[in-house]
Amino acid sequence: MAFFDTLGKTLSEKGKEAAKKAKDLTETMQLKAQISGEENNLKQAYQEAGRLAFESGLTAQADEYETIFSRIKESKTRIAQLEDQIRKLEGVQTCPACGARVPAGAGFCNSCGSRIVQEQEVVWDAPEVTAAEEEAASGAEDKVCPECGAVCDHDSRFCMTCGHAF
């Protein structure tokens, strides 16, 4: 009976993990659709600004552009917020030095080696994955940092834990 209890518990946990991943994927798709809508708004505002500039021969008063410019700024801000939500869902952050995507909470960028200062603690409930599962999923062997022993992506040039160069 203990076997069936353990099996039932394992299946239940895996089902919950799958449901969370499906929910996150759905939310990511919705956010990307919202970004697409904001990008369309941005494109339309740029077109209006260009049309107005052309028609006025660049002699229009600044206040005529003000509403268009505020729409552009609002769309850019909203797109940045939506992209930030996607990064949080995916458990990544952006390196401030080179713009590479690195795992949330990494101390160093795996592309340029820059130190990444964490502004706030990032909580990410990733399922526990064994090294063998990661290797099978990636199709390439990960690197082990000789300095601190952390496991890093196979294509990393720097350790994300201590910043050691490979």
Side-chain angles (χ1 to χ4, degrees):
M1 286 306 232
F3 170 75
F4 290 113
D5 290 340
T6 304
L7 179 62
K9 188 181 287 185
T10 301
L11 290 174
S12 175
E13 289 173 5
K14 295 299 178 184
K16 288 178 184 176
E17 287 177 24
K20 175 153 178 26
K21 286 182 181 181
K23 180 183 175 231
D24 288 350
L25 180 60
T26 301
E27 193 171 336
T28 299
M29 295 299 288
Q30 289 173 344
L31 291 169
K32 287 182 179 182
Q34 290 179 23
I35 288 173
S36 179
E38 286 297 329
E39 287 172 340
N40 286 338
N41 290 342
L42 191 58
K43 183 178 177 181
Q44 186 179 21
Y46 279 136
Q47 288 174 342
E48 280 183 44
R51 182 187 49 76
L52 182 61
F54 177 77
E55 289 174 357
S56 67
L58 295 176
T59 59
Q61 298 298 321
D63 55 330
E64 292 181 46
Y65 290 105
E66 191 63 37
T67 58
I68 296 170
F69 290 167
S70 72
R71 283 180 41 209
I72 290 171
K73 289 175 187 175
E74 288 172 13
S75 285
K76 285 186 168 193
T77 300
R78 183 71 180 134
I79 288 170
Q81 291 170 342
L82 293 168
E83 288 174 340
D84 186 48
Q85 289 178 356
I86 289 173
R87 282 191 296 275
K88 286 179 183 174
L89 282 172
E90 293 176 345
V92 296
Q93 61 187 4
T94 303
C95 173
C98 71
R101 293 168 51 102
V102 296
F108 293 86
C109 176
N110 59 357
S111 292
C112 71
S114 295
R115 181 162 184 70
I116 299 175
V117 178
Q118 302 298 322
E119 292 180 13
Q120 62 187 31
E121 185 177 330
V122 178
V123 177
W124 182 46
D125 294 329
E128 297 261 342
V129 179
T130 65
E133 290 173 325
E134 282 184 354
E135 184 176 329
S138 70
E141 192 172 317
D142 289 336
K143 296 179 182 177
V144 176
C145 178
E147 197 70 29
C148 70
V151 177
C152 300
D153 292 338
H154 69 280
D155 59 347
S156 295
R157 294 181 17 217
F158 296 89
C159 175
M160 294 177 292
T161 304
C162 71
H164 178 75
F166 289 110

